[in-house]
Structures are given as structure tokens and as C-alpha cells.
């Protein structure tokens, strides 16, 4: 049973109060708040996250880990509540909410919080400041991670860095199963996923040349095309124009299913957006191709590269290949093979 199924009829909370974290509905924005969630949980707060079904499915193992780590005796309070146009009113009324924390304040969220009588509303200062009872100054840096740090400092909470989601055994098993079905399981060269996005992420010819030249530079690399239902046709056309040698994975999977596959890859090449953030959050190295905004939205930390070019169709293929070599040098073995070798030597 998932967290949002169990949250349908939560018992009334009898603790000192719940900290309700109101995530914006965009998946990539929620993945940027892992440090915020971990830090708040480590401070002793009882967290309940208001999220979309897709966000809840991705975040649930991490939220379960935090609850078991910091509040193991609390089994009655749900980890997530599902947001929709009407909000989960009945479930919210059953919780003793001490504060609402809004990483990215939206007027509709603050209006609904006010209507529900939640007096303490915390967020980044800005145009919605009159709706907030406590604010953090906007950070000098524009990166999303700095916004979370500023919010934590305003709440006087120690920062506990977290860049990755908790990956369950079930996720790993599903990811390996899908790769084996695509004949990409077992030993061999690194597995690199390529997510070509939509038309705005560059012409199909750019991605066709890139796929061809990645293999020419290192024939041991194993490539697959990643796709959701929204960009399936583009992935299929790339599959056809590159000789039908690179399998397409993803359009029949849920977001957490895609996360399972991404968790078993060594690197992902993708334009800016939630697939890039999800890949970084499940431990894959990433190369992000940005037309603008890389300084604000690129995944932080080691193992992640970025190229920014406007317009994106003028990106030099050689520059992309060099950046990919910096992340996964030619001759690198697949992640699973490296782990097996390390285990054998320990």
C-alpha cells in the first residue's frame, strides 16, 4: 500500500503539531527539496508533505526512511497527503498543524492555508510576503538549493544535505528487470540513457548525430532511449533513424517506475527538466543540455555536467561528447559491475 492510499483516513494526530510542507506541483521542484525535508525531519518535526500522486510515489521511500529514523513511534500520521483542485480538506482537519512551510509560495496555496485556519505560514520573501507570517530573505545565488538553505536558516534548522532519494530493493529489482528485458543487463560497458525531450529541446537531427557519435567514440557504451508518453513519438523516430539498435524504455512506466530504471544507469543525457533531476536524485551521473537557466536549475554536486547554449540546436556535438567523457570516461565499466568488483575485493 502506498502512502497516499493509507492517507485516505488518517487517525487524528495527538502530538504537539505537524509541520505541513506544501510542495509545488512540478516534479522537478519537489526533487530539489530533499535537503529541506531531511533537515526538517532531523530537527524533530513531524512532517506531512502535501504532494501530487507522482511526487508521493517518488518521495514515499525517503519520507518513510526519515519517519523511521526520527519519529519511529508515530505510525498514525500519514507521510503524504494528495493535493488536487479541492485539496484534501478532511485529512487536513484531522491533523494538528503547527506550521505550513512553502518552499515555493503560490497564491492559491496560501489562500487555502489561510482559509483552513493555519496561522503560521513560512516561505521565501517576495511578492506573496503579505500572506506569510515568517519569511526568509531571497538568497543571493539563484540556485534552487540556496532557497532551501535560506528557508532552513530562517527556521533556525541545521542543514542536513541530501541529494538522493532512498532506493528500495523493489525499485532496484524493477530497474534491473526492465534493462534485462531490453538486453542491457549484466556485465559490460556503461549504460547511458538519452532523453531527447520534445521539439523545443533541439532538432531530432542533433540527437541522431549525438547517439551515433557516442558509440563511435567508445563502442563499449550501451545506449538506450528514455521516454515518457508525452515524447514517445520523438523517441521512436530516433530509434528508427539510428538503425533500431537502441531500445526505448519508459512510456509504459509510472514516474517511480522510470526512477527505478534510472537508478540502474551510469549516466543520463537530457535537456533541463524533471527527467534530469530524477536521474540525479536516484544516483545516476547526468549531463544536462540547457538553453538557459543552468546556474539555477542544474543538479548540484559532483558527477553532474552541464552545457548551456542558446539556441540549443547550435550545440557542438564534440562539446557534448567531451563533457560526457568527463562524467563517464571511455572504458568505464557499468555501475553494477564496479559494485560487484568492490564487494569481491572487500
Amino acid at each position: 500500500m502506498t502512502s497516499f492510499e493509507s492517507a485516505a483516513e488518517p487517525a487524528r494526530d495527538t502530538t504537539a503539531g505537524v509541520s505541513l510542507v506544501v510542495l509545488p506541483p512540478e516534479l522537478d521542484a519537489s526533487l530539489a527539496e530533499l535537503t529541506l525535508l531531511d533537515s526538517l525531519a532531523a530537527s524533530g518535526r513531524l512532517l506531512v508533505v502535501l504532494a501530487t500522486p507522482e511526487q508521493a510515489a517518488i518521495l514515499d521511500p525517503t519520507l518513510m526512511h526519515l519517519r523511521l529514523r526520527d519519529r519511529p513511534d508515530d505510525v498514525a500520521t500519514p507521510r503524504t497527503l494528495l493535493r488536487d483542485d479541492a485539496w484534501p480538506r478532511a485529512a487536513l482537519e484531522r491533523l494538528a498543524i503547527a506550521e505550513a512551510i512553502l518552499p515555493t509560495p503560490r497564491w492559491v496555496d496560501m489562500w487555502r492555508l489561510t482559509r483552513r485556519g493555519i496561522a503560521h505560514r513560512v516561505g521565501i520573501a517576495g511578492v506573496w510576503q503579505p500572506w506569510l507570517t515568517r519569511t526568509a530573505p531571497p538568497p543571493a545565488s539563484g540556485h534552487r538549493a540556496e532557497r532551501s538553505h535560506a528557508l532552513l536558516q530562517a527556521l533556525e534548522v541545521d542543514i542536513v544535505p541530501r541529494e538522493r532519494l532512498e532506493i528500495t530493493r523493489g525499485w532496484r529489482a524493477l530497474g534491473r528487470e526492465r534493462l534485462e528485458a531490453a538486453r542491457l543487463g549484466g556485465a559490460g560497458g556503461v549504460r547511458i540513457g538519452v532523453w531527447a525531450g520534445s521539439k523545443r529541446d533541439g532538432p531530432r537531427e542533433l540527437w541522431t548525430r549525438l547517439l551515433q557519435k557516442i558509440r563511435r567514440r567508445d563502442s563499449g557504451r550501451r545506449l538506450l532511449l528514455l521516454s515518457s508518453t508525452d515524447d514517445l513519438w520523438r523517441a521512436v523516430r530516433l530509434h528508427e533513424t539510428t538503425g533500431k539498435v537502441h531500445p526505448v524504455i519508459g512510456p509504459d512506466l509510472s514516474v517511480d517506475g522510470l526512477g527505478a530504471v534510472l537508478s540502474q544507469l551510469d549516466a543520463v543525457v537530457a535537456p533541463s527538466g524533471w527527467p534530469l533531476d530524477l536521474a540525479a536524485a536516484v544516483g545516476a551521473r547526468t549531463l544536462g543540455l540547457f538553453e538557459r537557466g543552468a546556474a539555477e536549475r542544474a543538479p548540484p554536486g559532483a558527477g553532474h555536467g552541464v552545457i548551456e547554449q542558446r539556441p540549443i540546436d547550435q550545440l557542438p556535438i564534440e562539446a557534448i561528447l567531451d563533457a560526457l567523457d568527463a562524467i563517464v570516461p571511455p572504458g568505464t565499466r557499468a555501475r553494477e559491475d564496479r559494485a560487484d568488483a568492490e564487494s569481491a575485493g572487500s
Side-chain angles (χ1 to χ4, degrees):
M1 179 179 291
T2 62
S3 63
F4 48 88
E5 290 171 338
S6 61
E9 288 295 332
R12 181 175 291 277
D13 180 56
T14 57
T15 65
V18 165
S19 292
L20 179 69
V21 179
V22 183
L23 294 177
E26 297 79 19
L27 183 59
D28 53 344
S30 63
L31 292 170
E33 304 302 342
L34 297 179
T35 289
L36 177 72
L37 296 175
D38 201 330
S39 302
L40 291 171
S43 73
R45 286 169 164 81
L46 177 57
L47 293 188
V48 176
V49 176
L50 189 64
T52 66
E54 292 79 13
Q55 290 170 331
I58 285 291
L59 292 173
D60 187 63
T62 301
L63 295 172
M64 180 184 293
H65 167 78
L66 299 180
R67 182 69 62 84
L68 292 174
R69 184 192 70 186
D70 300 312
R71 302 293 292 259
D73 296 331
D74 192 293
V75 296
T77 309
R79 293 181 295 275
T80 56
L81 298 177
L82 289 193
R83 67 180 304 149
D84 56 23
D85 291 339
W87 268 39
R89 296 179 181 177
L92 285 171
E93 289 175 353
R94 292 186 177 94
L95 298 176
I97 298 175
E99 61 183 354
I101 300 169
L102 299 97
T104 306
R106 303 191 316 155
W107 76 267
V108 66
D109 291 336
M110 288 182 287
W111 178 75
R112 285 172 169 167
L113 290 170
T114 304
R115 288 284 302 273
R116 302 313 303 167
I118 301 172
H120 300 287
R121 303 177 297 276
V122 187
I124 300 291
V127 66
W128 308 119
Q129 185 165 344
W131 292 78
L132 299 168
T133 56
R134 190 172 187 178
T135 60
S141 166
H143 197 277
R144 294 177 301 187
E146 294 302 319
R147 293 175 60 86
S148 295
H149 293 175
L151 197 53
L152 290 168
Q153 289 169 358
L155 291 166
E156 300 179 352
V157 172
D158 293 335
I159 296 173
V160 181
R162 171 179 281 271
E163 296 175 355
R164 295 188 183 182
L165 294 162
E166 290 291 316
I167 307 298
T168 66
R169 290 182 179 178
W171 271 19
R172 295 185 192 280
L174 174 60
R176 289 173 180 169
E177 177 185 317
R178 294 308 294 259
L179 290 177
E180 288 171 1
R183 300 182 180 179
L184 292 173
V190 290
R191 291 179 284 252
I192 300 175
V194 177
W195 196 304
S198 61
K199 285 184 178 180
R200 69 174 183 274
D201 299 311
R204 193 174 67 244
E205 293 75 19
L206 171 71
W207 293 93
T208 299
R209 295 198 310 273
L210 177 61
L211 287 163
Q212 293 168 341
K213 293 200 172 185
I214 289 175
R215 284 294 301 272
R216 289 174 186 169
R217 184 168 286 203
D218 182 358
S219 60
R221 288 171 171 168
R222 294 177 287 175
L223 303 180
L224 63 148
L225 290 161
L226 298 162
S227 168
S228 66
T229 54
D230 294 336
D231 41 41
L232 172 59
W233 177 242
R234 185 174 172 88
V236 169
R237 291 293 294 140
L238 283 172
H239 171 73
E240 293 172 346
T241 56
T242 53
K244 299 183 179 181
V245 295
H246 309 309
V248 178
I249 297 181
D252 60 330
L253 294 173
S254 60
V255 172
D256 50 320
L258 282 168
V261 172
L262 294 173
S263 73
Q264 299 306 301
L265 300 182
D266 296 276
V268 172
V269 181
S272 62
W274 67 264
L276 189 70
D277 294 293
L278 181 56
V282 296
R285 286 166 280 187
T286 66
L287 176 58
L289 309 184
F290 287 75
E291 192 167 57
R292 63 174 72 85
E296 294 80 23
R297 304 198 309 276
H304 305 301
V306 60
I307 300 178
E308 186 170 351
Q309 174 70 49
R310 186 175 183 185
I312 199 169
D313 58 4
Q314 293 183 11
L315 269 174
I317 295 294
E318 290 301 317
I320 302 174
L321 295 174
D322 291 343
L324 184 59
D325 285 349
I327 298 170
V328 280
T332 303
R333 288 181 297 166
R335 180 196 299 184
E336 186 176 332
D337 303 334
R338 292 199 307 274
D340 290 344
E342 291 167 2
S343 298
S346 60

